[in-house]
Amino acid sequence: MTRVLIIGAGSAIAEAVARIYAARGASLFLVGRDRERLAAIAADLRVRGAAGAEVHAMDANAFEQHAAMLDAAWARLGGVDLALIAHGTLSDQKACEGSAALTLAEFSTNGLSPIALATAIAPRLAAGATLAAISSVAGDRGRASNYVYGSAKAAVSAFFSGLRQRLGAGGVNVLTIKPGFVDTPMTQAFAKGPLWAKPDAVARGIVRAIDRRRGVAYLPGFWWAIMQIIRAIPEPVFRRLKL
Ligand SMILES: NC(=O)c1ccc[n+]([C@@H]2O[C@H](COP(=O)([O-])OP(=O)(O)OC[C@H]3O[C@@H](n4cnc5c(N)ncnc54)[C@H](OP(=O)(O)O)[C@@H]3O)[C@@H](O)[C@H]2O)c1
């Protein structure tokens, strides 16, 4: 039985991942801010086949609560085979440009808190386990329209790259998940087009990457090619683009 810890478990992508593990008979520990929503998700996961589904209310920015949450998760599950850090907020770029405080708050949610959690989770994992975080293609290159969010995700991607090298020797797989555009509550205000994916499809890609012990997963996979091109654009050209 797989023991799964999900932080940001109310996220549409995370819930779709949890359903796949529930169908496999996994035991889950769900962490998020909205206890009632988590309880409803947990009840649904049990119906779908989960061996167990516990909930724990915590704001990821409450750094002082991380250790107690992890103690509770390890005590409930008896160890963790998969830890998935999924929470995030799509920062209001314009508002951040006028407020250092808001910029740092967004950086905390999307960058510092996943890094703090990964640091605390890493020494608790045994060989064979996976530590995964949902970063973003937005972290591959800063763009005028969302560089606060993108730079926080870039910090997570770089941190996870180093952590992957460090923990790989001990048999712990570290996975950086880089979705493109996904149709979730986070992006409800956006007009959708052909590049958009559904949370279920992204979740299947996440679980495939975990099963195959991959290091980095662009989801859907075509985003790897798109980001190769975006990253290859010389800076003098890139600075004149409106992205
Ligand atoms: N949707 C996309 O296009 C896209 C693309 C690339 C990467 N991603 C990443 O994918 C992940 C999941 O996002 P999603 O698309 O599934 O969006 P979502 O459904 O809006 O989920 C975001 C989740 O993050 C939680 N959250 C936000 N701040 C938190 C905090 N301080 N502490 C604890 N939980 C917090 C939210 O909880 P509340 O319900 O309490 O607000 C919500 O459950 C995020 O890391 C996001 O950056 C999304």
Side-chain angles (χ1 to χ4, degrees), residues 4 6 24 33-34 56 72 80 82 127 142 149 152 170 172 174 191 193-195 218:
V4 181
I6 303 180
R24 292 183 178 184
R33 291 189 290 198
D34 185 341
H56 184 102
V80 167
L82 165 64
Y149 174 78
V172 173
V174 175
L195 291 179
Y218 284 87

Side-chain angles (χ1 to χ4, degrees), residues 7-14 31-34 37 58-62 85-90 109-110 113 134-138 149 153 177-187 196 199:
I7 299 154
S11 119
I13 296 173
V31 181
R33 291 189 290 198
D34 185 341
R37 173 156 164 66
M58 190 193 81
D59 186 315
N61 286 317
I85 301 171
H87 67 277
T89 51
L90 191 56
T109 300
N110 293 303
S113 67
I134 307 183
S135 181
S136 172
V137 295
Y149 174 78
K153 293 295 195 183
I177 300 154
K178 296 186 178 183
F181 303 134
V182 191
D183 185 0
T184 70
M186 179 179 280
T187 52
W196 285 76

